Amino acid sequence: MNILVIGRGGREHAIIWALKKSERIQQIYCAPGNAGTAQLAENVDIGELEFARLVKFAQDKAIDLVVVGPDDPLAAGIVDEFEAASIPVYGPRKNAAEIEGSKIFMKDLLRKYNIPTAKYETFTDYADASAYLKQQPLPIVIKADGLAAGKGVAVCFTREEADKALEETMVDKSFGAAGDKVVIEEFLEGQEMSILAFVDGETVRAMSPAQDHKQIFDNDKGPNTGGMGTYSPLPHIAQSIIDDSIENIIKPTARAMVSEGRPFRGVLFAGLMITKDGPKTIEFNARFGDPETQVVLPRLETDLLDIFLASIDGSLKDIEINWSNEAAVCVVLASEGYPGAYPKGTPIEGLDSVNTPGALVFHAGTAMKDGQIVTNGGRVLGIVGRGAGIAEARAHAYEAAAGITFQGKQNRTDIAAKALR
């Protein structure tokens, strides 16, 4: 089979790495890819939103399956375009991807179907939002309605922070049109958990849970990022809580989408908060999470291609999906200045000398320049350590990460520390 993976980040590198295990795959292409995907697949210089060019490429290369990684093309309807051309594609259609593309749609869906989430109100007018905000207790959470590369969320602990976040979102348009509408919701206290699930309509096959570290600095300090590190499994979280989340949040949401005439097929990613009142929904994403994918897929023992094809032909409920008992920890190496402005084109050293047992290096923001791999994004690399438990996997991840250098490199030093307490 010939496969086309669309995207350019660590998530896509991890997907290709997992697909390469399948004996049925002849050729994998990645559009546009990065310096890491080029080592496993053939990169294609076509952007994620160039739908007509992507469809023509798939036709010309007799592509048997397209796998869409990022949120933007899903929200813009890329799956509908491939389906219209009769090309098999894995991912949700535009009307189903709205569960990530609009936080207001997602929150209203959960409210309508009584699925646990934080209390909230939505606004399109800055003055109305500001007046409401002044009446709410702190901390408070302000979210841009649309896609904002994982950065359109502000957790505010003071009035000044809240006023500034609202103004930056709705007036200054820091996140562009994504901030035309906002959600203001109550702050949920507890521990976060991510559960990704393979979904086909009402069939939900949950993956092993993971936990992400969103803030840029240790001890969850500083601004939000797209994710600075992850680990899986979560030995410190009871299986009963994980089961509760699947049965009372993810499965009802899949059923709700079917009821709304928006059946979801692809990866449904639930971002959850474990509160004193039980798990509640923070957000839903309509695709593999990044960097959650980098610790979940290395633990998958079942052929990923089989899962994708079963979802497309309606037999997902019949396939057996197995997970390794080993742990995986991902440490993200980021550019200086991230999540703000950052340089590109900085040479990366040490990639060829990683020999830590079980370590994997997934490229997130890299490119090839004059024969040298250089930085090309805010999050540059995801270094994954594997081991019998979290402690061993964590040690392997940090050992491998220490040997990779580039000017201005920054990373958190406390990834997965919570799981060891």
Side-chain angles (χ1 to χ4, degrees):
M1 296 183 71
N2 296 321
I3 310 292
L4 171 62
V5 176
I6 295 173
R8 68 181 72 200
R11 163 186 46 229
E12 289 75 35
H13 192 179
I15 290 170
I16 291 170
W17 175 86
L19 286 171
K20 287 286 284 188
K21 297 179 180 180
S22 178
E23 296 178 353
R24 288 185 291 159
I25 294 177
Q26 178 180 351
Q27 177 68 50
I28 301 178
Y29 300 93
C30 187
N34 59 41
T37 62
Q39 297 169 3
L40 300 176
E42 182 179 326
N43 284 353
V44 182
D45 189 17
I46 305 176
E48 297 95 328
L49 296 173
E50 296 183 85
F51 292 177
R53 291 186 65 200
L54 288 167
V55 169
K56 185 175 187 309
F57 177 85
Q59 292 169 330
D60 291 346
K61 294 295 184 179
I63 296 297
D64 298 294
L65 174 66
V66 177
V67 180
V68 185
D71 46 10
D72 286 340
L74 290 170
I78 192 170
V79 168
D80 308 65
E81 294 288 328
F82 278 110
E83 287 186 341
S86 299
I87 298 170
V89 55
Y90 184 78
R93 294 172 181 152
K94 182 177 182 178
N95 69 348
E98 193 170 0
I99 198 167
E100 176 175 10
S102 170
K103 293 181 180 65
I104 291 176
F105 169 80
M106 184 270 291
K107 295 290 287 190
D108 288 349
L109 179 82
L110 299 186
R111 176 185 277 171
K112 179 177 179 180
Y113 289 90
N114 297 311
I115 297 168
T117 190
K119 297 174 184 175
Y120 72 101
E121 293 295 338
T122 65
F123 298 91
T124 57
D125 180 78
Y126 171 72
D128 291 343
S130 181
Y132 174 81
L133 185 61
K134 287 177 170 53
Q135 305 302 315
Q136 300 309 303
L138 297 171
I140 194 82
V141 181
I142 298 170
K143 299 179 176 180
D145 173 57
L147 298 175
K151 300 172 192 171
V153 177
V155 180
C156 307
F157 292 89
T158 68
R159 291 290 169 201
E160 292 74 17
E161 287 177 345
D163 291 341
K164 181 182 179 184
L166 185 65
E167 185 173 351
E168 287 180 345
T169 302
M170 298 195 79
V171 179
D172 300 339
K173 299 296 181 185
S174 296
F175 308 108
D180 289 347
K181 305 174 186 177
V182 299
V183 175
I184 300 178
E185 69 177 26
E186 69 169 327
F187 174 76
L188 294 180
E189 207 161 359
Q191 187 159 198
E192 290 192 45
M193 174 174 65
S194 301
I195 299 181
L196 288 71
F198 299 110
V199 174
D200 179 21
E202 294 193 13
T203 300
V204 173
R205 303 298 300 276
M207 305 183 210
S208 183
Q211 189 170 86
D212 189 12
H213 299 64
K214 283 291 185 188
Q215 282 77 21
I216 184 68
F217 301 126
D218 286 0
N219 301 313
D220 299 329
K221 303 294 184 184
N224 270 352
T225 71
M228 290 301 294
T230 45
Y231 62 99
S232 177
L234 309 181
H236 57 303
I237 295 180
Q239 186 61 43
S240 60
I241 293 175
I242 296 168
D243 293 342
D244 182 3
S245 302
I246 296 167
E247 295 300 323
N248 296 313
I249 292 178
I250 302 177
K251 287 184 177 179
T253 299
R255 291 194 294 268
M257 292 292 282
V258 171
S259 297
E260 293 292 309
R262 302 168 183 255
F264 191 99
R265 185 179 69 200
V267 172
L268 186 61
F269 167 169
L272 309 166
M273 183 70 76
I274 304 168
T275 74
K276 59 181 176 56
D277 300 317
K280 293 188 177 183
T281 313
I282 301 173
E283 64 178 357
F284 272 107
N285 292 332
R287 36 72 191 179
F288 277 108
D290 190 343
E292 288 86 354
T293 304
Q294 288 88 306
V295 293
V296 172
L297 287 188
R299 300 187 56 230
L300 177 65
E301 294 182 333
T302 303
D303 189 324
L304 182 61
L305 178 63
D306 288 346
I307 297 172
F308 287 164
L309 296 177
S311 298
I312 290 173
D313 70 19
S315 62
L316 180 62
K317 63 182 179 300
D318 301 322
I319 192 169
E320 185 176 344
I321 301 178
N322 297 313
W323 301 92
S324 166
N325 289 324
E326 75 174 2
V329 174
C330 176
V331 175
V332 170
L333 307 184
S335 294
E336 183 177 16
Y338 179 78
Y342 51 83
K344 293 183 179 181
T346 305
I348 304 171
E349 306 291 344
L351 288 170
D352 294 334
S353 58
V354 174
N355 55 16
T356 304
L360 300 168
V361 178
F362 292 122
H363 291 230
T366 65
M368 186 69 75
K369 181 180 179 182
D370 300 328
Q372 167 79 51
I373 296 178
V374 299
T375 65
N376 194 45
R379 291 183 297 163
V380 179
L381 299 163
I383 313 303
V384 176
R386 294 179 288 179
I390 293 294
E392 184 178 13
R394 185 173 187 269
H396 288 163
Y398 277 108
E399 179 185 335
I404 299 172
T405 60
F406 52 88
Q407 187 173 349
K409 180 184 93 171
Q410 59 170 329
N411 63 266
R412 284 183 57 159
T413 65
D414 63 345
I415 303 301
K418 289 178 184 176
L420 302 178
R421 293 171 187 163

